[in-house]
Amino acid sequence: MSRIIPLVLFILLGVLLAVGLKIADKKTDIPSPLIGRPVPEFNLPMLNQPDKILGPQDFQGAPYLINFWASWCVTCVYEHPYITDLARSGRLRVVGLNFRDEPADAMQWLG
């Protein structure tokens, strides 16, 4: 009897895990209230070309990823190589928006 209880618990745990994975597999879409809505109006200078202004009209016609980053952001250091690889792959246009940062600090961080 004492050997059966751990076996039953192990089987129940396996069933729960299988059910959980099946449910998680059905939820591959990430819900967002922003999908299908227009990009808010903005006009921002480009970091490396301050005389060129970027706005929503520059993003029409193709999917893109907007990545908010800053030179003071610890997590940005780790994600930057992956986002750079994604941008270089050509599969998706990547636009980086420098957030609450000095332009000189941002340019030094990118260098």
Side-chain angles (χ1 to χ4, degrees):
M1 180 71 176
S2 64
R3 292 183 181 178
I4 294 176
I5 293 174
L7 179 62
V8 170
L9 289 175
F10 181 75
I11 291 171
L12 286 174
L13 184 62
V15 169
L16 285 174
L17 180 63
V19 170
L21 288 174
K22 192 141 189 111
I23 290 170
D25 189 41
K26 291 179 182 177
K27 296 182 178 182
T28 56
D29 291 339
I30 300 172
S32 172
L34 302 176
I35 294 176
R37 296 185 65 195
V39 175
E41 279 297 319
F42 66 90
N43 291 305
L44 298 170
M46 291 183 68
L47 184 61
N48 58 349
Q49 299 173 352
D51 56 322
K52 185 175 179 187
I53 302 297
L54 195 65
Q57 67 279 359
D58 297 307
F59 303 110
Q60 293 179 353
Y64 56 91
L65 168 71
I66 295 181
N67 178 47
F68 289 86
W69 66 276
S71 63
W72 46 264
C73 172
V74 177
T75 307
C76 295
V77 173
Y78 295 106
E79 70 182 18
H80 184 74
Y82 300 105
I83 292 175
T84 302
D85 288 344
L86 179 63
R88 288 183 181 150
S89 74
R91 293 181 296 168
L92 186 65
R93 183 174 179 196
V94 177
V95 178
L97 291 179
N98 187 245
F99 183 71
R100 294 185 182 171
D101 211 348
E102 296 295 324
D105 294 338
M107 289 300 291
Q108 181 181 4
W109 189 86
L110 286 174

